Amino acid sequence: MGYAVVDVETTGFAAGGSDRVVEVAVVQLDRDGNQTGEWCTLLNPGRDLGPQHVHRISARDVWHAPTFAQAAGALSARLAGRVLVAHNLAFDARFLAAEFRRVGVDLEVSGLCTMTLARRFLPGVRRSLHACCEAAGIVPEGAHSALHDARATGRLFATYLREGPLDGDPIPWPRLPQDDVAEVRRGAGRVVQVVEKPVLAGGDVVVFTGRTEDPREVWIARARAAGLRDQAYVTRGTRLVVAADPYSLSTKARKARAYRVPIVSEEDFAELLGLVKDHRTEWCQGY
C-alpha cells in the first residue's frame, strides 16, 4: 500500500452546485514517502473557468482537455489501493465526491490531511500549504497549480512519515471503462480560432463576457459613444461578443457560437470601435 497525494483546481467553492474541477493532479508515494509516479491533466468543465486570475488557467488551455467523465477512469486507476492525502482534504474530497457522483459513482471520500496533521508535526505554524512547507524547509514550485501543489504536499507529507508510517484506509475506487486518457497540461493548448471580424455600424448590439482588463463599464461607455448598443445576454440578433478570453466557455460564449456570433478580444474590439467611428465620420461628410 502507498499514498496518493491529490490536488484540484476548481471554478469556485460550490462543489455540489455549479462549480467544477478544472485541473487534477496525483502524486504517488510509497510507504516511506518516496515519489513513485505523478499524473496531471486539465479538465474541460463545460462552463466558464471562474477566478482565472487565481488559478491562471485559460479557456484555450482546456479547449481540447478531457471532461471529468472522460478522465474519471484514469484518475480512479491512479488512486486505487492507496490512501488519499491532500492539504485541506475536506475541499478536495468534496469536489472529488461531487465529480464522481456526476458520473454515477457514489463514494465517501476520506484520507489524511496534511493541514490537520500540521497541528501534530508543525505545532504553532499557520495552516496554509506555503506556511507549512516553509516551516518544513520545503520550497514550493508555484501556488495554485494542481501539480505543483500536489508535489509540495507530497514532500510535506514525506517529512511527516520520517516519524513513522501514517495509517489510513484506501477508498474502494471503482474500475471504470476508460482507465487512461491523454494528459493535457497548462500552456499546451494550440487551438486557433479563425474569427472573421465584422464591420460594426451604429445600432449594432454587443455583449460583454468575462473580467476584461479595462472595467466593463468603461467598454460599455466606449461602445455607446461609438453608437453601439450593449446588452446583457446573447440573441440571434447580437452582432458581436467581446470576451476577456475569446476561448471562453461561459454561457454567453457558448450561445454565441451556437448562433454563429463572432467572439473577439477587447484588443480587437478597440480596433473595431475605431472603424465604427471612422465609418460614421465618412457618412456624415457625405451629406
Side-chain angles (χ1 to χ4, degrees):
M1 181 196 73
Y3 304 96
V5 184
V6 174
D7 189 80
V8 299
E9 296 296 324
T10 68
T11 62
F13 298 100
S18 62
D19 284 316
R20 305 296 300 272
V21 174
V22 293
E23 186 178 37
V24 58
V26 179
V27 170
Q28 296 171 323
L29 306 178
D30 64 19
R31 283 189 61 83
D32 297 321
N34 301 305
Q35 183 173 327
T36 58
E38 66 179 28
W39 178 84
C40 178
T41 189
L42 293 167
L43 298 170
N44 188 322
R47 51 151 288 172
D48 70 274
L49 291 168
Q52 287 175 270
H53 65 289
V54 175
H55 54 58
R56 304 183 308 281
I57 298 171
S58 73
R60 181 171 180 168
D61 283 336
V62 305
W63 191 268
H64 288 314
T67 63
F68 188 90
Q70 292 168 332
L75 176 59
S76 181
R78 285 161 175 82
L79 300 175
R82 295 175 178 272
V83 176
L84 191 69
V85 178
H87 196 81
N88 191 6
L89 176 68
F91 179 85
D92 298 84
R94 283 198 305 271
F95 271 94
L96 288 175
E99 290 286 10
F100 273 103
R101 196 176 303 119
R102 291 186 181 100
V103 297
V105 177
D106 198 358
L107 290 170
E108 182 178 343
V109 180
S110 59
L112 299 173
C113 178
T114 53
M115 186 172 76
T116 301
L117 288 168
R119 296 172 185 165
R120 170 182 166 188
F121 294 100
L122 299 169
V125 173
R126 288 184 297 112
R127 300 176 69 189
S128 71
L129 178 59
H130 180 81
C132 289
C133 284
E134 187 176 59
I138 297 166
V139 180
E141 297 175 60
H144 297 299
S145 156
L147 185 55
H148 290 166
D149 286 353
R151 286 172 177 167
T153 302
R155 292 170 66 191
L156 176 64
F157 186 68
T159 67
Y160 296 171
L161 291 175
R162 291 172 189 164
E163 297 190 24
L166 292 167
D167 295 326
D169 296 321
I171 300 166
W173 301 101
R175 182 168 184 176
L176 300 175
Q178 187 176 346
D179 61 1
D180 204 5
V181 68
E183 296 174 61
V184 176
R185 298 289 182 91
R186 294 177 182 232
R190 294 187 177 87
V191 61
V192 176
Q193 294 187 93
V194 179
V195 178
E196 186 173 339
K197 300 172 190 175
V199 176
L200 297 176
D204 281 345
V205 175
V206 296
V207 173
F208 297 89
T209 185
R211 183 181 295 184
T212 51
E213 288 292 330
D214 287 345
R216 184 173 299 185
E217 56 269 22
V218 172
W219 282 115
I220 289 175
R222 291 169 181 166
R224 290 177 180 176
L228 303 176
R229 293 183 294 139
D230 60 280
Q231 193 166 273
Y233 49 89
V234 177
T235 68
R236 293 184 187 278
T238 302
R239 185 65 172 137
L240 188 72
V241 170
V242 182
D245 183 344
Y247 293 86
S248 172
L249 300 172
S250 70
T251 300
K252 292 177 182 177
R254 295 202 307 273
K255 187 166 286 187
R257 293 185 186 101
Y259 292 158
R260 298 185 181 277
V261 175
I263 304 172
V264 301
S265 67
E266 57 187 304
E267 292 81 5
D268 286 340
F269 183 56
E271 180 183 333
L272 293 173
L273 279 180
L275 296 175
V276 173
K277 293 175 182 177
D278 291 342
H279 177 71
R280 294 172 74 209
T281 300
E282 291 170 6
W283 183 85
C284 291
Q285 290 175 346
Y287 283 84

